[in-house]
Amino acid sequence: MKEKDFYVDFKPQQLIYYVEKDDASYGPLLSGSYLSKHYLDDYYEKMEKLEKSLREQLNNGEISPVYYFMILQSYGEGDLASRAGVSKRKLKQHFHIKYFAKLRLSQLKKYAEAFDVPVAAMFHLMITRNEDQGKITVEQVETKNSFFSIARLAIKTK
Amino acid sequence: MKEINFEHKMGAHCESGTITSLLNHNGLGITEPMVFGLAGNIFFGYFESSNFPFPTFIVRNRPGSIRKNLAKNIGVKFYTKNFRSREKGEKILDELISNEIVTAAQVDFYYMDYMPEWQRAHINVHFVNVIGRNEKDYMLSDSYYSKKSTLSVSKLTKARFAGGFMAPKGFLFYPVFIPDEIDYERAIFKGIKKAAYNMTKLPVPFVGVKGIRKFARKVTDWPKIARDIDHLSHEIMKINILLEDQGTGGAGFRYLYATFLQQAADKLNNDQLNGMSQRMMEIGDSWRNISYFAAKIGKNRDLGPERLKELSEMINDMADQELPFFQELYKIVK
């Protein structure tokens, strides 16, 4: 594809693509992502809907936090099972509250590590009110105690 | 604080970009398309595996194969090392940096927190060059990022020792020997032969041109396995990401490969290869049309059977284009 037909002006996501230059040689071009420039809003809309729907299922006890994080982080079941050190059959059981309730803390910690969240996040989600969105930040601070973390809340300054 | 003097360059792809920068740093003038092509890495494979959240496809050969194939083909030697212990893995990396040795590391891409959030996913086969360290952070040269970046020591260690499918196990590598003379004619022909063989002759029903046909057949079944219409839309739009934005140089590495063929033709003064590079560029344009189409129908949730059949036919047409292309390419270098 010719350079002039390819270039996309989108600074937040720039990539190297290979294109045909004016002199017919092929070479690299730094360009924005076509998909992100045109469809990023759609992606966020879908993710927001997905998160809300999963949270509702979590609230209703229909799914466990393991399933919630697995879907949100787009894990394959085999990959997650391997990271958490369980069989796929066990993993599927842990999608349900009945079996989640029987998890050992050490097993829960492995899941938390795979999701890169504190162990506390497997029991507790922190969200802001709609009207406060973007105004408050939550920073998860790890401590030397791997079972204990601190959530540091801060009001965003301009 | 230690930072090695290293020229950061962006690359189309993490593995070929990392290796190109490493080789350039160590005195071998070679381009990324040449690294990719000499390693015979153009590919196609369609996979349905529980290691992925949904059926997927790849457009380059197995991660790690660029380094291995390039080493075999041109005689470069790399130091490579896996680690069982995180502590040891961190210690060795720190020693290498202290000794001014720029070292490539395999990582889970999810932890690269300098990248835009929407790009980050758990993929254990990302590669970065580690170029320095201070008390809190490592300094990285990541081919996907416009400038040198920093990542906390704990994050890089987590990324190097993430478990799961294709776990990095702390993997590190750097070149230890670069030959004075490289027989480019032999290496180019060997790289092309490997790629053409993989695309047309591998007796596996889901790789090469057969893999493209399988993808074409299977994509019409995707509605049966998607959770809902939004999920289906997401997966269809991911076709665009896998072809364009996941470090391919555009059109599923086809533009990068066309550039390799053009550079090879120039090096060897070979008109046939030049003609093939133009054909590969045109094939790339057809793949890019699929990317645009997938993005459009995904966004519009226009995902009924007729539309998916149209997409399937477009993909199948790629198999019709790539089969004779790689067969001819094979004959040229045989």
Side-chain angles (χ1 to χ4, degrees), chain A residues 103-121:
Chain A
L103 275 175
R104 285 177 175 204
L105 198 53
S106 56
Q107 180 60 63
L108 202 60
K109 185 167 158 275
K110 284 186 184 167
Y111 279 122
E113 278 172 3
F115 298 131
D116 194 32
V117 296
V119 178

Side-chain angles (χ1 to χ4, degrees), chain A residues 1 13 17-18 24 26 33 35-36 42 44 46 49 73-79 82-83 88 116 142, chain B residues 50-51 53 108 117-119 122 124 158 163-165 230 233 237 241 244-245 249 255-256 262 285 301:
Chain A
M1 185 173 271
Q13 187 180 355
Y17 299 96
Y18 276 78
Y26 304 157
S33 154
L35 191 74
S36 295
D42 181 62
Y44 276 119
K46 275 186 284 205
K49 267 170 80 179
Q73 295 194 9
S74 238
Y75 263 121
E77 289 176 6
D79 188 14
S82 164
R83 288 182 193 228
K88 277 189 270 174
D116 194 32
E142 289 177 359
Chain B
S50 70
N51 287 314
D108 179 349
E117 166 206 24
W118 66 85
Q119 266 187 282
H122 288 286
N124 268 337
K158 276 183 190 175
F165 180 57
D230 279 348
S233 151
M237 290 172 91
I241 296 174
E244 309 298 330
D245 291 356
Y255 290 151
L256 188 67
Q262 190 182 62
D285 288 345
R301 312 294 191 268

Side-chain angles (χ1 to χ4, degrees), chain B residues 256-316:
Chain B
L256 188 67
Y257 200 68
T259 309
F260 157 68
L261 290 173
Q262 190 182 62
Q263 290 180 2
D266 286 351
K267 234 179 191 13
L268 308 181
N269 202 14
N270 183 320
D271 287 343
Q272 274 182 306
L273 287 183
N274 200 32
M276 295 307 276
S277 84
Q278 285 165 21
R279 268 178 70 187
M280 184 87 272
M281 203 55 153
E282 285 160 18
I283 286 173
D285 288 345
S286 301
W287 277 112
R288 193 154 168 92
N289 285 338
I290 291 176
S291 301
Y292 288 140
F293 185 76
K296 191 177 82 180
I297 64 173
K299 157 77 177 164
N300 295 336
R301 312 294 191 268
D302 182 9
L303 299 165
E306 283 302 308
R307 203 57 73 230
L308 290 183
K309 189 165 170 260
E310 203 177 329
L311 176 62
S312 166
E313 281 164 6
M314 288 170 84
I315 297 167
N316 206 40

Side-chain angles (χ1 to χ4, degrees), chain A residues 47-64:
Chain A
M47 286 302 118
E48 203 179 310
K49 267 170 80 179
L50 175 64
E51 197 279 331
K52 271 190 184 162
S53 149
L54 288 169
R55 197 173 352 125
E56 205 173 305
Q57 292 173 64
L58 202 52
N59 289 345
N60 295 335
E62 293 159 15
I63 58 170
S64 76

